[in-house]
Amino acid sequence: MTEKVADHEALPRLGPEFALDPYPVYRRLRESGPVQRVVGHDGVVQWIVTRYDDVKRLLVDPRMSSALTKVLDPGLADGQKRFRIDETLQNAMTNHDPPEHTRIRKTVVRAFSARRVEAMRPRVQELTDTLLDAMDGEERVDLIEKLATPVPVAVSCEILGVPVEDRPFFNTQMDDLMGAGTAEEKRAPAKALTSYMAEQVAIKRASRGDDVLSAMIEASEEEGRLTDGELVGGAVQLLFAGYLTTIYAIGAGAYRLLKHPEQLAELRRDPGLLPKAVEELLRFDGPVIPGILRYAKEDVEVGGTTIPAHSLVVLSLTAANRDPDRFPEPDRLDIHREDTDHVAFGGGIHYCIGARLATIETEVVLGSLIRRFPRLELAVPDSELRWELKSFARHIAELPVFPHGAKG
Ligand code: HEM
């Protein structure tokens, strides 16, 4: 099966207007049928599923494979070959189906224990407070650079057990990897990241700590649990899955709250509303856009349309979260919404391992920010905000604010 984008001129495209605001595009897609073929933002032809019930069902359907790199037909078009990435990175658990996925995930879940995650809360608060102290003396700051980024980066590094000082190196490589268009362009940054993590594993083997990497190394030494490649690939994934999405969620959350001053005021008056508000922010504007990628191992019927075997399928979590058949008035942010059963963290066997940690970080950072700066204000109009859509996520590149209001 060889498909060229040129053969699909007539298909809807997730173009630049999609990156700017995907929600009107989702609405049109959802209204025109349960599933469509589109040319994705990455130029790859794929099927997109946009309704909540269908997404929920397909998240637990074993015919939808996550092992893209294994199952992709070698005859596929160039665009689809980009899913063949570095051998070691392919070992991350997200790219496996059972039984490999079950084995790897068990080990990582054990290392990423609830105790270890809850124990991070005071540390998240401490990191946040230090950054807010530094913001206090500023007239105008970029919230992404000064707050939304440093907290998740430090937390991810500390919990995993890698030096936060290495951030400039791994951040650059990750940017290159996310921005790469072809498998060829992915090779160098993927190699740099896996070599870096292999080095970290070697250092940790010699001197263990109370961190996730040490716990994973321990597990890998038990017979048949985790190969070296799975250890390194899994650790790279934990680092980046952990901080990129959380930065994006905090950034979008701060922006959305600032655009809804009456709900922001309520949150300031009653911080008890915060956990629900964070869930609603994740429903309203989660970062995983356009969605998570699967491969149909067999023909799969969705609402009367058949997705043929061997197709790439995007389960659009963010479109599902705005489905009016599930969430009344879905395009309205409502921190009092009772039904918060969103799918921003996926579902089924690949449900996000870091969901609790990400939620703690978002709650602590946003809650502390709005308490500390009661006059916080956006410093630029919406037209000056730059939204970026790379690889699997969408985010605001910079969020300039006046911590003490426009009039200082
Ligand atoms: C707001 C922040 C986050 C969002 C929106 C998010 C979203 C997701 C989603 C949608 C999936 C499912 C992928 C799939 O089914 O293909 C996932 C999986 C995963 N996430 Fe997150 N995530 C976030 C934060 C984190 C954090 C903080 C960590 C770790 C420190 C993390 C680690 C992982 C891992 C390891 C997986 C793979 C699980 C598996 O394949 O079994 N994530 N995440």
Side-chain angles (χ1 to χ4, degrees):
M1 177 163 80
T2 38
E3 295 188 284
K4 293 230 169 59
V5 170
D7 300 337
H8 301 288
E9 292 295 326
L11 291 178
R13 278 173 182 267
L14 306 183
E17 87 290 353
F18 178 78
L20 200 63
D21 185 2
Y23 297 105
V25 180
Y26 283 154
R27 192 181 318 121
R28 283 198 298 277
L29 289 171
R30 208 187 302 105
E31 284 170 2
S32 68
V35 55
Q36 284 87 15
R37 273 181 103 201
V38 297
V39 179
H41 66 292
D42 48 6
V44 177
V45 176
Q46 50 208 234
W47 293 79
I48 185 162
V49 182
T50 49
R51 296 179 182 172
Y52 184 91
D53 286 349
D54 295 329
V55 167
K56 269 288 227 202
R57 195 162 36 79
L58 293 179
L59 277 168
V60 294
D61 187 328
R63 293 172 299 175
M64 305 303 287
S65 171
S66 288
L68 299 185
T69 49
K70 264 197 205 162
V71 292
L72 280 181
D73 179 336
L76 288 179
D78 287 351
Q80 301 197 354
K81 282 190 192 141
R82 75 184 56 177
F83 297 108
R84 295 185 190 288
I85 50 171
D86 175 90
E87 280 288 310
T88 311
L89 284 189
Q90 278 170 212
N91 277 317
M93 83 185 96
T94 333
N95 305 326
H96 287 291
D97 290 336
E100 291 92 345
H101 173 263
T102 321
R103 172 176 54 79
I104 303 170
R105 181 165 169 121
K106 224 162 122 188
T107 305
V108 178
V109 166
R110 208 171 67 174
F112 214 80
S113 65
R115 176 196 62 80
R116 190 167 264 136
V117 169
E118 281 304 327
M120 284 306 283
R121 189 185 276 274
R123 178 67 182 133
V124 176
Q125 187 68 62
E126 184 186 13
L127 285 161
T128 304
D129 289 343
T130 308
L131 293 161
L132 295 179
D133 285 346
M135 266 171 63
D136 201 10
E138 302 288 332
E139 196 181 313
R140 174 182 158 136
V141 297
D142 170 15
L143 212 54
I144 305 295
E145 186 200 344
K146 299 292 185 195
L147 184 67
T149 303
V151 175
V153 171
V155 168
S156 272
C157 286
E158 287 179 24
I159 205 161
L160 193 64
V162 304
V164 71
E165 298 74 36
D166 294 344
R167 176 183 155 204
F169 166 76
F170 58 65
N171 218 27
T172 308
Q173 304 302 330
M174 197 56 203
D175 261 0
D176 289 352
L177 187 65
M178 297 268 290
T182 63
E184 191 52 45
E185 285 167 14
K186 281 191 167 147
R187 196 155 298 140
K191 181 114 206 70
L193 287 170
T194 53
S195 307
Y196 168 78
M197 198 53 84
E199 232 171 76
Q200 294 303 313
V201 167
I203 295 169
K204 272 285 165 229
R205 271 198 212 285
S207 156
R208 309 244 166 130
D210 180 21
D211 49 53
V212 169
L213 198 51
S214 298
M216 284 168 70
I217 290 170
E218 217 156 274
S220 74
E221 286 164 356
E222 288 171 33
E223 194 61 28
R225 276 212 159 268
L226 211 56
T227 65
D228 279 357
E230 287 162 354
L231 174 60
V232 171
V236 172
Q237 191 201 4
L238 267 181
L239 182 59
F240 299 110
Y243 81 75
L244 284 175
T245 41
T246 311
I247 295 171
Y248 301 165
I250 293 173
Y255 167 70
R256 297 296 178 184
L257 285 179
L258 287 166
K259 297 298 287 182
H260 292 82
E262 60 314 322
Q263 297 193 52
L264 177 54
E266 257 192 277
L267 265 184
R268 283 197 175 106
R269 280 196 301 275
D270 181 2
L273 293 172
L274 203 58
K276 246 195 177 165
V278 166
E279 292 303 319
E280 171 66 351
L281 289 166
L282 284 164
R283 179 199 70 82
F284 191 75
D285 201 7
V288 179
I289 291 183
I292 53 177
L293 214 47
R294 295 290 189 265
Y295 180 83
K297 290 199 280 193
E298 301 167 22
D299 286 1
V300 176
E301 205 220 279
V302 183
T305 304
T306 300
I307 301 177
H310 312 303
S311 302
L312 274 176
V313 185
V314 176
L315 304 182
S316 183
L317 308 173
T318 31
N321 283 337
R322 296 279 193 113
D323 183 346
D325 285 342
R326 174 59 204 233
F327 300 103
E329 291 189 78
D331 297 327
R332 193 165 67 84
L333 181 79
D334 176 7
I335 59 170
H336 297 289
R337 198 178 281 276
E338 283 303 324
D339 179 1
T340 53
D341 190 16
H342 62 72
V343 284
F345 291 116
I349 58 171
H350 291 278
Y351 181 78
C352 178
I353 282 184
R356 184 67 198 135
L357 180 62
T359 308
I360 291 175
E361 290 182 64
T362 310
E363 267 178 41
V364 170
V365 172
L366 292 181
S368 309
L369 171 72
I370 63 173
R371 269 197 307 279
R372 178 73 175 261
F373 297 114
R375 296 170 62 203
L376 186 72
E377 227 178 284
L378 281 172
V380 294
D382 282 357
S383 56
E384 285 179 33
L385 290 177
R386 194 160 43 85
W387 289 88
E388 283 185 359
L389 176 60
K390 273 194 208 159
S391 189
F392 63 89
R394 171 176 174 268
H395 67 109
I396 308 182
E398 286 170 9
L399 189 60
V401 295
F402 298 119
H404 300 288
K407 295 179 190 80

